[in-house]
Every structure is written in structure tokens, then in C-alpha cells.
Amino acid sequence: DQMVMDLFPNINDNTQSADNINNNNGDGDASLDPYWVEPLLFLTKSSSRSLVRQLQHQYCPMGYDPSASPFSTLLSTSNNTTSTDENSINNSKKRTTSLLSFIRHHKQTHFNDAIMLVRVGDFYETYGIDAIMLVEHCGLNPMAGKARAGCPWRNVQATLDGLTNAGFRVAVYEEWKGDDDEFRAMVGTDAIEQTGGKSLKRRYLAQVVSSANPTYMHGLVLKDDSSVCDDSPASQDGLSSSTNSPGRSYVGVIE
């Protein structure tokens, strides 16, 4: 429990209970939202609890450290904790990818109290605290022993069911495969990963899935030939629509 509380230095666990801790946003410099204290405290699986040791709070809203190894924190001692943390932060910043920067930005800006599930090729991936929740509630294994987890695209609904049944909201981001100019016009440049001004993968918020809206609708809209209508980005006002075939239009409201 103390290991979890150390991730939230702006919270005094001696004066706040688990019942009201979610209502405290805090004014400290921790990047992790206090919402995640209770889910972390109530982890039951040894595989998910062991991943908590890899989390750090200094600059990543998911607590993900890409330079952490499965055994690095276990080998730390009280005498070198500070230097180890500083080295970890510096190494993590050096190893940050454009995808991770994209996820961190949207997590911090829009979904600090929700899980972000991001499409990467044929998989959906999560990092840090989000990945720990997948390991805990969806029966998935961490990737290479790190706080990183995912599922094949065919299993996305089962994964979402595990998360929504546990009470979480999940923001699902898809890859855009169409024209760049059309993407910018419909979604905006903020949703485009960039490194040094060069556009890389393009992703958009497809839907926010929750216990009140548990079915992931992406890919369920049909064209005239009954094939899947894919890659319909969410518009800025929170509506996702498809009008590719008469009589088969779909409009989904995103929370």
C-alpha cells in the first residue's frame, strides 16, 4: 500500500480515506491522477501488483517508464533510490517515442481518469497504469514483463468488457488510413503524432466505452456491399457518423 501512496506525493493518506480520495485532485506536481489510487490499492493479482514497482509519477500521466526493467526496482535500495529515480527519468525521456508522446498528451489533456486503448497495427496497446488494469481485469499478460499490455484487434470487445465491468471508462483510438488533408479538416492537427515537424501515424478518438455504453461500434457500420465501414473519425462535437450507404447511416454519441 505504501508503494502505491508513494506515487501520489500530493495526497496525505493519513488524513484521507479510500472513499473520498477520488474527489481530491490535489495541487502538487504529481502527474498521476488521484483517481487511480483506489484501483491500484485493490489489485489482487500478483502479476499486476508487481508492475506497480515500475511506475513513476514525475512526468508521465500513466506512470510509464520505458527504461524500466522487470527487476530494476527490486534491486533498488533506500540509499540509491533518489539517484535511481533521476537516472530513470532521464533515460525515459530519451527513449520516448512519438506514439508515447501522443498518448501522454491525450491522457493528460482529456483522459486522466480513463484508460486509453490505442490501435497499433493489428493490436491495441496500453501503458503504465492503464496496462496494469488490463492485466488485472482482462487476464492479459504484460509485454516483456513491463507495464505495457495489449490485445489483438479481434479481442477488443472482450477486453473492453473486462474493463467496463470493473467500472472503467475506456477511450479507444484508431489509426487513420485516408487522406491527410481530410483528416486534418475533420479532426485537427492536434490528433496527429509529429516528431520534428514530420507527420507519422495519424490516430483519432473513435469512441469512449463505458458501462453505460459498453459496445464498441467501430467497424460495425456497413457499406452498400455489406463490408465493414472503417475509419470514421470522431468529429469535434463528439459525434461519429457514417453516411456511406442509404438507409444504413449511423450516428454514435461519444461521451
Side-chain angles (χ1 to χ4, degrees), residues 212-239:
N213 184 29
T215 302
Y216 186 44
M217 301 302 297
H218 181 81
L220 297 184
V221 184
L222 299 180
K223 297 180 180 179
D224 288 328
D225 59 0
S226 296
S227 61
V228 173
C229 175
D230 198 2
D231 296 320
S232 298
S235 64
Q236 296 295 335
D237 60 0
L239 298 178

Side-chain angles (χ1 to χ4, degrees), residues 62-242:
M62 301 93 67
Y64 178 66
D65 181 0
S67 67
S69 70
F71 307 105
S72 60
T73 51
L74 294 177
L75 298 176
S76 300
T77 64
S78 58
N79 293 330
N80 64 6
T81 299
T82 301
S83 61
T84 300
D85 289 344
E86 291 176 353
N87 291 334
S88 178
I89 293 172
N90 293 332
N91 292 335
S92 298
K93 290 181 178 179
K94 292 178 181 178
R95 297 180 60 179
T96 298
T97 64
S98 59
L99 172 61
L100 189 54
S101 296
F102 173 87
I103 295 174
R104 284 172 175 167
H105 170 72
H106 285 266
K107 180 78 169 180
Q108 186 71 46
T109 306
H110 304 294
F111 297 111
N112 55 359
D113 62 349
I115 292 171
M116 280 186 61
L117 197 61
V118 181
R119 183 73 173 263
V120 182
D122 290 333
F123 289 84
Y124 290 89
E125 296 188 4
T126 57
Y127 298 83
I129 289 178
D130 295 353
I132 291 176
M133 297 306 143
L134 261 71
V135 174
E136 173 75 11
H137 299 287
C138 304
L140 298 173
N141 295 320
M143 296 181 180
K146 293 188 176 184
R148 178 183 175 189
C151 68
W153 68 268
R154 288 184 176 86
N155 298 342
V156 64
Q157 186 60 59
T159 300
L160 292 170
D161 289 343
L163 296 172
T164 56
N165 288 340
F168 297 112
R169 294 188 307 134
V170 187
V172 187
Y173 280 76
E174 293 286 346
E175 292 181 341
W176 172 263
K177 302 175 183 178
D179 180 77
D180 284 355
D181 293 335
E182 181 182 357
F183 181 81
R184 289 188 177 91
M186 297 182 70
V187 181
T189 56
D190 183 55
I192 302 177
E193 299 170 36
Q194 294 188 353
T195 301
K198 181 180 180 181
S199 296
L200 299 176
K201 285 287 187 179
R202 301 167 300 282
R203 291 180 171 86
Y204 61 92
L205 174 62
Q207 186 178 337
V208 177
V209 183
S210 66
S211 57
N213 184 29
T215 302
Y216 186 44
M217 301 302 297
H218 181 81
L220 297 184
V221 184
L222 299 180
K223 297 180 180 179
D224 288 328
D225 59 0
S226 296
S227 61
V228 173
C229 175
D230 198 2
D231 296 320
S232 298
S235 64
Q236 296 295 335
D237 60 0
L239 298 178
S240 177
S241 64
S242 174

